[in-house]
Amino acid sequence: MDLKSKVVVITGGGSGIGAAMARRFAKEEPAGLVIADIDLGTATDIAEETGGVAVLADVSDPDANKDLIEGTEDRFGPIDLFCANAGIGMVGDEQSDTSMWNRMWEINLMSHVHAARHLIPGWVARGEGYFLVTASAAGLLTNLKAAQYSVTKHAAVAFAEWLAITYGDSGVKVSALCPQFVNTPLLEGSEAFKALGANHTLEPSEVADVVVSGLQDERFLILPHPEVEKYFQNKANDYERWLGGMRKLQRTVFPD
Ligand SMILES: NC(=O)c1ccc[n+]([C@@H]2O[C@H](COP(=O)([O-])OP(=O)(O)OC[C@H]3O[C@@H](n4cnc5c(N)ncnc54)[C@H](O)[C@@H]3O)[C@@H](O)[C@H]2O)c1
């Protein structure tokens, strides 16, 4: 997909990867750029910088997705690209509160379902439309110390994959963006994430460049850290060995 003259929505567009995508996409001269975020202040800053429009939306709310999509289409016409990018990350395990598991599900997975529910019928009728999911390398591999994050990001990849298979022949395109560590407030907020990302953390602007080329190629898997492809192959080729390698990494990074 070439972004020129397209109508684009980015959720979680007020910060990090979403803001970087907004800045990068703006250079491609879209017809409409909607920056949706639960934080209207940051969304407004990015909208002013990129010539976009800020919208307050909590993507975990089904009605907020409906309003975001209908409001965008009333203003600009049909949405060409919807970037389901908003997400939260934190360390946690099986002992974490159920409410924390539920919040992660709602934002990291169910928001994609709520958006797709309103987008897919129109896209199938038009024979085109593009859904970009910001998942994570944790959705292909795992993220040490972060059970909810790993599980919900696997689910995000699975849903993207399912959409690609189910609606691909109807003209709907889907990509799953699966970066490892990116220098954003999400990473800053977690010592465990920071420790893991120490070796190869990308800047959000670098990720945004890779996204634009991934969209141009209409590739399903967009991997800003190319080594993730090899790790994913290693996992599929020898799961037992991969699990052993991950345990070894955990002992090295978190010796206590
Ligand atoms: N930073 C990383 O290392 C990394 C790696 C892989 C994937 N990701 C994914 O990238 C996406 C963007 O994260 P980021 O690193 O840019 O983090 P970030 O915290 O900088 O940005 C996330 C944005 O989402 C918004 N948001 C949070 N909950 C929301 C909600 N319910 N409704 C609407 N907006 C909401 C936040 O206000 C924020 O502006 C997330 O899905 C994250 O899981 C991040």
Side-chain angles (χ1 to χ4, degrees), residues 169-226:
D169 288 348
S170 305
V172 175
K173 305 283 191 312
V174 184
S175 292
L177 169 63
C178 293
Q180 280 193 302
F181 298 98
V182 186
N183 187 16
T184 72
L186 180 144
L187 192 61
E188 275 305 305
S190 165
E191 289 308 313
F193 283 7
K194 268 201 284 189
L196 283 164
N199 289 334
H200 194 177
T201 301
L202 293 180
E203 290 305 316
S205 59
E206 297 177 283
V207 173
D209 285 339
V210 176
V211 169
V212 169
S213 78
L215 292 172
Q216 274 161 358
D217 297 348
E218 299 182 349
R219 244 180 291 132
F220 178 76
L221 263 189
I222 302 183
L223 300 176
H225 301 76

Side-chain angles (χ1 to χ4, degrees), residues 4 26 34 77 79 133 144-145 165 182 197 202 215 226 249:
K4 190 172 170 63
V34 174
I79 294 169
V133 165
L144 298 178
K145 302 283 182 192
I165 293 166
V182 186
L202 293 180
L215 292 172
L249 178 65

Side-chain angles (χ1 to χ4, degrees), residues 15 17 37-38 57-59 85 87 134-135 149 153 180 182 184-185:
S15 174
I17 295 169
D37 206 288
I38 199 168
D58 175 350
V59 295
N85 168 77
T134 304
Y149 192 74
K153 291 298 185 177
Q180 280 193 302
V182 186
T184 72

Side-chain angles (χ1 to χ4, degrees), residues 65-76:
N65 282 278
K66 182 171 185 281
D67 293 348
L68 170 63
I69 290 163
E70 289 181 356
T72 301
E73 301 206 327
D74 286 348
R75 183 165 187 154
F76 294 112

